[in-house]
Amino acid sequence: MENNNSEVTKHFIEQIIEEDLNVGKWNQEQLQFRFPPEPNGFLHIGHSKSICLNFGLANDYNGKVNLRFDDTNPVTEKTDYVDAIRKDIQWLGFEWNKEVFTSDYFDQLYDWAVALIQKGKAYVDDSTQEEIQEMKGTPTVPGKPSTYRERTIEENLSLFEAMKNGEFEEGTKVLRAKIDLSSPNMHFRDPVLYRILHKHHHRTGDKWCIYPMYDFAHGQSDAIESVTHSICTLEFENHRPLYEWFLNNLEIFESRQIEFARLNINYTLMSKRKLLRLVEENHVESWDDPRMPTISGMRRRGFTARAIRNFCDKVGVAKRENMIEVSLLEFCVREDLNLVAERRMAILDPLKVVITNYPEDKTEWLPAENNPKDENAGSRELPFSREIYIEREDFMIDPPKKFFRLGIGRNVRLKHAYIITCDQVIEGKNGEIIEVHCRYFSNSKSGSDNSGIKAKGTLHWLEAKNSSLAKAVLYDRLFNVEAPGSTEGVDFTEEINPNSKQVLENILIEPELLKAKPEQPFQFLRKGYFTLDSSSTEDNLIFNRTITLKDAWAKKR
Ligand code: ATP
Ligand code: MG
């Protein structure tokens, strides 16, 4: 969609911001956004959508973004998660203005709760959670008042203080707002503001034993930080009137909540709770297992930050829930890696080839460009001598016509080297192929070929003496089904792809790959994109396959 001045149409949140700027509601210096993760798990690809949106808007309109750890639930939150979240956002390429914690505001939030009590707009309720639920009614049946609803202001003030002072057991009392028990919006039926939790908090320690609920904390935190546009996902649309009710009744900064559709991707789970189960039940190794849809998992697997940002851009910002194809993410990864990954040779399943007419004691070092897509990437040298390796699958004794690889009497070009022709195959007792004997054409060297010899296929290869052993891990999608976790009666762990990880114990790599660093992207010629796994050591190099060169799933479907 394009408008008259051929400018790309702005998405609805950009339109809201521009309107606010136009009518002078805010000026650019006032524009304030926030990204508010709860530190109860690692960030996943869904979060990167929200990160790219908030930080992208701040970049485009010269605003600021606070990183706010929404830490109101001491039971599930940990400092390790806080550290991981910081690292992931930075890696994605964004810088926040202030780092804040909702727990920084516990004193202020407590004072605001007291203020509501003083206005007769909140009360302490001794009902159990079940009783409160029961009394709430349904959207068509009005709720019933709790017997504690008419407590006096004085009584509420002293009970709430006693709650704070730890005088009551967990679950025996809550603080509720006094709003409207017959509201069609269930969130208005006297929502709980505070609950008792005798739990140690990762930052406030044992100072508090009452903790605010999301609805009582989020909008107020936005107000404290003068957040002008508080962007969240659609499931909070029904919470918006309550969000505004608190800001109005407390007479504080009026942040505006705007909802957009959360990112859903097929074949991909996006719930920290479920991802935690994958880790805790050892279906994967860790939060940063390369099969996880976490930012740290994708990074370890070799996805680039730019590919993820491009993906989020392409997905766009929608008002209605939708399902994005994981192949779009994979496309973005391939597209970026194709540009930036240096090319290397590795043989995943080696078959020895002896070049019988090549001198025994000779080694040549042949130039090989690092990246044909990037002229600044330079070149390296590959050793070539009498014994080399090719992929076992690139040889057939009796190949069909269309097999443009090696077979007896057939020619192939060795990339960056010579054309060879195959004379003989040496088989073992059980007919297994042990090695292949070829001859090379000495005047067919790449770059100075005047042999006039034709070769239909080009193979990657490695010289025997100078190549090293390494491991490769071939990853595939973690789930076999399009919508894991959505089939009634089936636990999502039953939908795990049993072939999501295949380890190759003995691959061969070219000398240059001994210098590889984690996250450095490589294209192993004809084999896919790979990166060094972060658990590698000098004598145990492990390469993760980031992604295949082509979409293998497109064919299967
Ligand atoms: P999960 O359900 O995976 O635990 P969450 O929404 O509870 O996710 P938070 O840490 O509370 O996780 O989210 C931080 C921010 O990221 C919120 O603003 C939330 O709306 C946003 N976010 C989370 N998941 C997605 C998603 N799939 N798409 C877009 N934004 C998301
Ligand atoms: Mg959450």
Side-chain angles (χ1 to χ4, degrees):
M1 256 199 296
E2 290 191 336
N3 66 19
N4 295 339
N5 26 2
S6 83
E7 206 183 288
V8 180
T9 303
K10 307 279 180 188
H11 63 66
F12 76 102
I13 301 180
E14 291 168 330
Q15 287 174 8
I16 290 172
I17 293 170
E18 295 199 359
E19 175 68 12
D20 286 349
L21 291 171
N22 285 340
V23 302
K25 183 173 179 191
W26 312 113
N27 57 43
Q28 287 204 326
E29 294 74 68
Q30 292 170 310
L31 290 180
Q32 179 71 57
F33 307 90
R34 89 285 172 265
F35 174 65
E38 184 180 352
N40 62 350
F42 279 52
L43 297 180
H44 52 62
I45 180 81
H47 293 109
S48 46
K49 174 72 232 180
S50 172
I51 293 169
C52 289
L53 177 58
N54 281 294
F55 284 89
L57 288 168
N59 283 342
D60 291 350
Y61 294 101
N62 258 318
K64 299 186 192 75
V65 188
N66 288 347
L67 169 58
R68 183 198 309 149
F69 291 100
D70 204 354
D71 56 346
T72 55
N73 184 356
V75 183
T76 52
E77 295 157 3
K78 286 201 296 198
T79 309
D80 292 355
Y81 294 140
V82 171
D83 296 338
I85 288 169
R86 280 192 200 112
K87 180 173 173 188
D88 288 347
I89 300 172
Q90 282 167 336
W91 177 77
L92 273 178
F94 299 110
E95 258 177 67
W96 51 91
N97 180 41
K98 282 193 237 154
E99 177 181 300
V100 289
F101 290 80
T102 303
S103 57
D104 296 341
Y105 311 141
F106 281 173
D107 286 292
Q108 175 67 80
L109 291 168
Y110 178 81
D111 290 346
W112 278 332
V114 170
L116 282 185
I117 296 174
Q118 279 164 339
K119 289 185 180 187
K121 290 181 178 173
Y123 61 98
V124 173
D125 194 339
D126 301 3
S127 311
T128 63
Q129 210 183 332
E130 294 70 36
E131 286 163 347
I132 291 175
Q133 201 48 42
E134 178 73 37
M135 287 185 290
K136 265 202 170 168
T138 67
T140 49
V141 179
K144 290 196 227 55
S146 150
T147 44
Y148 305 100
R149 198 173 196 255
E150 298 309 328
R151 275 178 163 153
T152 63
I153 289 174
E154 286 65 36
E155 197 184 353
N156 282 317
L157 285 172
S158 79
L159 283 172
F160 187 51
E161 188 171 3
M163 275 172 69
K164 180 184 82 156
N165 292 338
E167 292 173 26
F168 306 116
E169 302 277 298
E170 278 186 21
T172 56
K173 285 187 171 47
V174 292
L175 182 73
R176 296 176 72 181
K178 192 172 182 178
I179 311 182
D180 179 0
L181 289 168
S182 54
S183 170
N185 184 329
M186 297 297 285
H187 297 293
F188 269 32
R189 297 191 184 179
D190 291 8
V192 173
L193 309 184
Y194 269 90
R195 66 227 197 271
I196 301 171
L197 287 173
H198 290 279
K199 294 278 156 37
H200 190 81
H201 185 279
H202 73 116
R203 294 190 82 239
T204 57
D206 297 316
K207 177 176 174 189
W208 295 92
C209 61
I210 55 170
Y211 290 93
M213 303 300 288
Y214 173 90
D215 282 321
F216 192 67
H218 204 90
Q220 285 87 315
S221 303
D222 286 342
I224 292 170
E225 296 167 31
S226 304
V227 169
T228 52
H229 301 84
S230 173
I231 300 167
C232 62
T233 44
L234 278 179
E235 62 274 23
F236 292 100
E237 198 169 9
N238 290 333
H239 295 242
R240 191 185 341 125
L242 182 59
Y243 176 103
E244 290 168 354
W245 188 91
F246 286 127
L247 302 186
N248 290 334
N249 281 277
L250 294 168
E251 297 173 68
I252 54 180
F253 187 90
E254 289 188 19
S255 302
R256 174 168 179 188
Q257 178 183 303
I258 304 168
E259 309 85 22
F260 75 107
R262 67 191 293 120
L263 174 64
N264 301 305
I265 306 180
N266 64 1
Y267 296 99
T268 309
L269 262 194
M270 260 187 279
S271 141
K272 277 182 282 185
R273 200 170 42 80
K274 288 180 180 163
L275 296 178
L276 177 63
R277 270 194 60 202
L278 290 177
V279 177
E280 286 187 332
E281 297 171 18
N282 297 314
H283 298 290
V284 297
E285 277 165 24
S286 53
W287 279 98
D288 71 345
D289 185 298
R291 292 165 294 178
M292 288 284 268
T294 52
I295 296 178
S296 55
M298 294 187 291
R299 173 171 65 233
R300 182 168 167 194
R301 176 151 167 179
F303 285 25
T304 61
R306 191 166 57 167
I308 295 172
R309 293 195 306 263
N310 289 346
F311 168 71
C312 291
D313 269 1
K314 282 191 169 58
V315 166
V317 179
K319 277 192 198 178
R320 293 282 153 261
E321 289 285 339
N322 55 4
M323 180 67 82
I324 302 295
E325 303 260 332
V326 70
S327 54
L328 179 64
L329 174 60
E330 294 165 346
F331 169 84
C332 293
V333 172
R334 287 192 184 95
E335 184 183 51
D336 192 46
L337 290 178
N338 185 36
L339 296 178
V340 301
E342 294 203 347
R343 276 53 171 171
R344 294 289 183 267
M345 302 255 209
I347 305 290
L348 304 192
D349 182 13
L351 170 65
K352 189 186 256 185
V353 174
V354 180
I355 301 171
T356 52
N357 62 339
Y358 196 88
E360 297 243 7
D361 50 359
K362 183 172 172 184
T363 302
E364 283 180 87
W365 290 82
L366 305 171
E369 62 181 338
N370 284 329
N371 185 353
K373 301 281 176 195
D374 176 4
E375 52 190 30
N376 298 319
S379 64
R380 66 198 188 281
E381 293 195 315
L382 286 169
F384 185 84
S385 64
R386 195 167 192 269
E387 290 190 356
I388 65 166
Y389 287 96
I390 62 168
E391 295 289 349
R392 199 162 276 277
E393 65 178 12
D394 283 338
F395 176 81
M396 269 178 93
I397 293 185
D398 189 14
K401 242 201 160 106
K402 286 258 168 68
F403 185 80
F404 297 133
R405 305 184 226 172
L406 201 59
I408 292 175
R410 300 217 181 173
N411 300 340
V412 289
R413 166 160 303 279
L414 300 174
K415 180 81 177 169
H416 303 305
Y418 298 96
I419 295 176
I420 57 172
T421 187
C422 179
D423 297 322
Q424 196 191 354
V425 51
I426 312 295
E427 289 174 271
K429 282 199 198 83
N430 306 316
E432 75 278 16
I433 299 171
I434 294 176
E435 62 183 41
V436 173
H437 289 186
C438 295
R439 272 171 299 124
Y440 86 119
F441 299 95
S442 59
N443 54 355
S444 67
K445 198 193 270 190
S446 288
S448 59
D449 180 3
N450 55 18
S451 65
I453 302 215
K454 296 256 177 305
K456 282 215 167 116
T458 300
L459 304 186
H460 64 287
W461 54 277
L462 275 181
E463 190 252 4
K465 288 196 300 277
N466 288 289
S467 52
S468 308
L469 281 171
K471 293 192 177 75
V473 191
L474 309 185
Y475 291 108
D476 199 351
R477 292 177 187 167
L478 187 54
F479 290 96
N480 267 330
V481 297
E482 280 222 46
S486 68
T487 307
E488 190 109 6
V490 181
D491 190 68
F492 66 92
T493 56
E494 293 166 38
E495 298 171 321
I496 293 177
N497 174 4
N499 304 315
S500 63
K501 177 176 181 177
Q502 186 197 349
V503 181
L504 305 180
E505 298 288 345
N506 294 303
I507 72 160
L508 290 174
I509 57 170
E510 64 164 270
E512 198 69 16
L513 279 171
L514 296 176
K515 299 184 220 156
K517 299 265 181 311
E519 294 178 44
Q520 197 184 353
F522 294 108
Q523 183 190 109
F524 287 2
L525 284 181
R526 299 175 66 229
K527 287 284 128 190
Y529 294 101
F530 287 76
T531 199
L532 191 72
D533 188 69
S534 53
S535 73
S536 294
T537 56
E538 218 169 282
D539 39 35
N540 185 26
L541 297 180
I542 304 167
F543 287 91
N544 293 328
R545 184 173 70 191
T546 309
I547 197 156
T548 52
L549 294 177
K550 293 204 183 94
D551 183 358
W553 285 70
K555 273 184 264 158
K556 287 191 200 169
R557 273 195 283 160

